[in-house]
Amino acid sequence: MQMNDIYAMTADQDRGKWFDLLDPVTGKPSSIRLKIAGPDSEVQNRSRLRLADELAASADGDGRVTAENRERARINALARCVLAWEITEDGEPVPFSHANVVRLLRAANWVQAQVDAFADDRAAFREVD
């Protein structure tokens, strides 16, 4: 591996990879696809920095952050890692926006768990030689 390989991996991870959300019971692909930035991407790096800022801004005078504010910031950070999607609601495409990604992530814990696991999986973003 050379230095330019590392930069190339970061650039690839910034472009993201498609991930099929799986049914939590059957494990079969759902009709929901998300394009997610990789764990070493600048996208995720900026999201982590913004998470720290959100937590600092929501701290009280003693530096404490409520569980509700911490969870809101965590979901916002995860949502910023989603770059695009293919999803419908009532048969119509749902517009891609940060607010709509947050809405999806809040719909069920299993959705958050799958997106979080994929976003953190370096192997998923590695091209096989």
Side-chain angles (χ1 to χ4, degrees):
M1 182 177 290
Q2 299 180 39
M3 185 74 133
N4 55 316
D5 295 323
I6 296 170
Y7 286 120
M9 280 192 271
T10 299
D12 283 345
Q13 289 190 26
D14 270 331
R15 286 187 283 278
K17 292 277 185 188
W18 284 101
F19 167 70
D20 290 307
L21 199 62
L22 304 177
D23 182 287
V25 176
T26 66
K28 294 180 180 176
S30 70
S31 60
I32 298 172
R33 295 183 74 216
L34 306 166
K35 192 173 198 180
I36 300 174
D40 299 312
S41 66
E42 283 301 313
V43 171
Q44 282 209 35
N45 187 51
R46 285 189 303 271
S47 182
R48 282 187 294 274
L49 293 172
R50 200 143 164 220
L51 170 64
D53 288 343
E54 284 182 39
L55 292 172
S58 66
D60 65 15
D62 294 325
R64 291 183 303 239
V65 179
T66 65
E68 183 178 330
N69 286 342
R70 190 179 346 269
E71 180 68 358
R72 182 180 303 114
R74 184 189 69 80
I75 290 173
N76 275 330
L78 185 56
R80 284 191 289 272
C81 298
V82 179
L83 305 173
W85 69 4
E86 295 172 0
I87 185 172
T88 59
E89 185 174 38
D90 296 327
E92 296 295 320
V94 178
F96 179 76
S97 69
H98 179 78
N100 280 337
V101 175
V102 167
R103 188 165 65 101
L104 172 65
L105 292 172
R106 288 189 177 165
N109 287 335
W110 64 266
V111 173
Q112 291 175 35
Q114 287 186 36
V115 172
D116 195 27
F118 186 80
D120 194 43
D121 184 4
R122 283 183 174 84
F125 293 87
R126 178 86 186 232
E127 294 297 325
V128 179
D129 295 332

